[in-house]
Amino acid sequence: MTNLTPVRTAFYISDSTAITAETLGHSLLAQFEDVPFRQIRIPFVDSPEKAREAAQRINQAAREDGLRPLVFTTQVDPAVNGILRESDAFCMSLFEVFIAPLEAELGVKSTHTIGRSHSQTDSNTYQHRLEAINFALGHDDGVTMSGLDEASVILVGVSRCGKTPTSLYLAMQFGVKAANYPLIPEDFERGRLPEGLERYRDRLFGLTIEPVRLHQIRSERRPNSRYAALENCRQEVADAERLMRRENIRWLDSTSKSIEEISTTIMQEIDIHRHPF
Amino acid sequence: MTNLTPVRTAFYISDSTAITAETLGHSLLAQFEDVPFRQIRIPFVDSPEKAREAAQRINQAAREDGLRPLVFTTQVDPAVNGILRESDAFCMSLFEVFIAPLEAELGVKSTHTIGRSHSQTDSNTYQHRLEAINFALGHDDGVTMSGLDEASVILVGVSRCGKTPTSLYLAMQFGVKAANYPLIPEDFERGRLPEGLERYRDRLFGLTIEPVRLHQIRSERRPNSRYAALENCRQEVADAERLMRRENIRWLDSTSKSIEEISTTIMQEIDIHRHPF
């Protein structure tokens, strides 16, 4: 006999990466915060044979957990879906639920093509996304002013306030070209934006951060430095916020926000339309 | 009268970023490849007032398109869902469909908390993800051997075969620490892996690419260079594949695969378990 809360297994299964199934399942399970789950993604289940292998793993988890596993699937193939349904799982099939009503509403049959979501169906938009990633890497931390005309947004803020991960996420998820430029003590002394940035004022977006959090982040990088000192962090953040306020730059506090939330807010504020995938 | 195919609008709506709603909708609409859609994401719809604003945009699209818009939503709040349902849209609500059956299966009520999926609910795992992004940036293109012990995977391959975007995606999506290391002509002449990599053999994963595609990618970067010349690309790819085969390194061809597919395959092959979000 054990005092441990029994853990249920949640499987994310698809004929392709299963990333959509995982996103979906993760979002639903987040609504049951007191229930512990073990999460397993099984990608590339694109044949009855692989479906039977997946069903065996599901049944094994059912025996080991003593609880019926959950299956979230974006499986298109009815044969594969049928095999998963016969396993000892509680099966939530995204396509089975939504495709028939959509077909009725649109008045056309779906193509029932597997693995479309993350396949390179349109190599132009895919290319665009890779270019945006390269753009973010090539315009990180103010390394160059060259090519800034192409940027949809230029993030500014003190060192380590979240500019780089946000730029990369905007590129990776939305195909948006984002540059980022640090605000440093020299800018605060001059009381002006870094030279060359003023002409892009309508594309500037500021990030700020709680000084205590900034101190923690910088301390991991350079412990006991002046750069990481709490007093210096307080000063830099206050100076940066003063500069952004005076220059009328839109900004937000990144401290308690996820990269997704920061990126979404920026796109809304700057009114960037994502490159359509 | 117009000959243009009428375009229907698809809305992705949520109380948080609406990224999950968009992923869901995008995945479903990909099954209707001949139907043209205009896609609009409306995030942060977290009050009845914002829901009414969203409903107005939906109704306006209905009038302009002459077609009932589609709404994909991960809205939790029943009041907001009700307002969206009253708009002139075909509404697909992820939570309305799946939460009740999940509650029955799990035997507990959901917390009905808004914006949980992309909120910083667990700052440890969030921190882990940021660390993985910094790790990928700090171990890009073989800049350092220091800290490679921490890498879950080290990608190798010729310049511009997709190592950097893959490393960043592994970090961003899965919190997996991935380094990457270029294979260069000097390595092929020596006929050996770059010095210092051999001890990490079990974590190496190779990427290769069609020479013609490599030639295109490199030509954008350095037109008419020896680096980009088709003949040179052929040679480097052949040399790299020979080296990887001899060294028994697992590898895949990235040419016709998305970053998601490449990353998922790598995680399967190296048997990396993602850091649980």
Side-chain angles (χ1 to χ4, degrees), chain A residues 141 154-163 180-184 187-188 193-194 197 205-209 214 218 236-237 240-241 243-244 249 251-252:
Chain A
D141 205 31
I154 303 165
L155 301 177
V156 295
V158 300
S159 164
R160 296 279 119 191
C161 69
K163 301 184 298 297
N180 75 78
Y181 217 93
L183 297 179
I184 57 174
D187 301 314
F188 308 139
L193 288 171
L197 277 193
F205 195 96
L207 295 183
T208 192
I209 185 169
L214 183 62
R218 287 185 172 184
E236 282 195 35
V237 168
E241 293 184 358
L243 180 61
M244 294 191 288
I249 295 169
W251 47 285
L252 64 76

Side-chain angles (χ1 to χ4, degrees), chain A residues 8 16-20 22-24 26-35 37 39 41-44 68-70 72 74 76 90-95 97-99 101-103 105-120 126-127 129-131 133-134 137 140 160 164-165 168-170 172-174 213 217 220-221 254-265 267-268 274 276-277, chain B residues 8 16-20 22-24 26-35 37 39 41-44 68-70 72 74 76 90-95 97-99 101-103 105-120 126-127 129-131 133-134 137 140 160 164-165 168-170 172-174 213 217 220-221 254-265 267-268 274 276-277:
Chain A
R8 196 187 282 256
S16 179
T17 64
I19 290 171
T20 303
E22 184 173 49
T23 304
L24 163 76
H26 185 253
S27 152
L28 288 164
L29 296 187
Q31 293 294 320
F32 299 91
E33 53 185 342
D34 297 329
V35 183
F37 295 103
Q39 301 178 63
R41 185 164 58 111
I42 310 183
F44 305 126
R68 185 153 77 143
L70 307 179
F72 297 91
T74 53
V76 176
F90 181 71
C91 206
M92 278 152 289
S93 170
L94 182 68
F95 282 31
V97 166
F98 288 117
I99 283 290
L102 263 177
E103 287 180 339
E105 172 70 18
L106 298 173
V108 291
K109 284 277 167 198
S110 75
T111 46
H112 274 80
T113 321
I114 69 174
R116 289 194 57 79
S117 188
H118 293 290
S119 67
Q120 252 184 308
Y126 192 72
Q127 193 48 37
R129 186 180 173 199
L130 286 180
E131 274 169 28
I133 295 171
N134 287 330
L137 291 170
D140 186 40
R160 296 279 119 191
T164 298
L168 288 170
Y169 188 82
L170 283 165
M172 188 86 76
Q173 178 74 19
F174 300 117
R213 180 79 193 112
I217 295 171
E220 276 165 32
R221 195 152 258 234
S254 71
T255 312
S256 60
K257 289 189 160 61
S258 68
I259 303 177
E260 285 84 353
E261 289 168 329
I262 298 168
S263 303
T264 297
T265 304
M267 288 179 69
Q268 229 186 2
R274 72 179 280 180
F277 283 108
Chain B
R8 197 187 283 258
S16 179
T17 65
I19 290 171
T20 303
E22 184 172 48
T23 304
L24 160 76
H26 185 253
S27 153
L28 288 164
L29 295 187
Q31 293 294 320
F32 298 91
E33 53 185 346
D34 297 329
V35 183
F37 295 103
Q39 300 177 64
R41 184 164 59 110
I42 310 184
F44 305 126
R68 186 153 76 144
L70 307 178
F72 298 92
T74 53
V76 176
F90 182 71
C91 207
M92 279 152 289
S93 170
L94 181 69
F95 282 32
V97 167
F98 288 116
I99 284 290
L102 264 175
E103 286 180 339
E105 173 69 17
L106 299 174
V108 289
K109 283 279 166 196
S110 74
T111 45
H112 275 80
T113 320
I114 69 175
R116 288 195 58 79
S117 188
H118 293 290
S119 67
Q120 256 185 304
Y126 191 73
Q127 193 50 35
R129 186 180 173 200
L130 286 181
E131 272 170 28
I133 295 171
N134 287 330
L137 291 170
D140 186 41
R160 297 277 118 189
T164 299
L168 288 170
Y169 188 82
L170 283 166
M172 188 89 73
Q173 179 73 20
F174 301 117
R213 180 78 194 112
I217 295 171
E220 277 164 34
R221 195 154 256 235
S254 70
T255 312
S256 59
K257 290 191 161 63
S258 68
I259 303 176
E260 285 84 353
E261 288 167 330
I262 298 168
S263 303
T264 298
T265 304
M267 287 178 68
Q268 228 183 5
R274 72 178 282 180
F277 285 108

Side-chain angles (χ1 to χ4, degrees), chain B residues 17 27 39 46 64-65 87 90 119 153 181-182 210 233 253 258 274:
Chain B
T17 65
S27 153
Q39 300 177 64
D46 52 7
E64 287 174 7
D65 299 347
S87 74
F90 182 71
S119 67
V153 61
Y181 218 93
E210 286 284 334
C233 290
D253 184 338
S258 68
R274 72 178 282 180

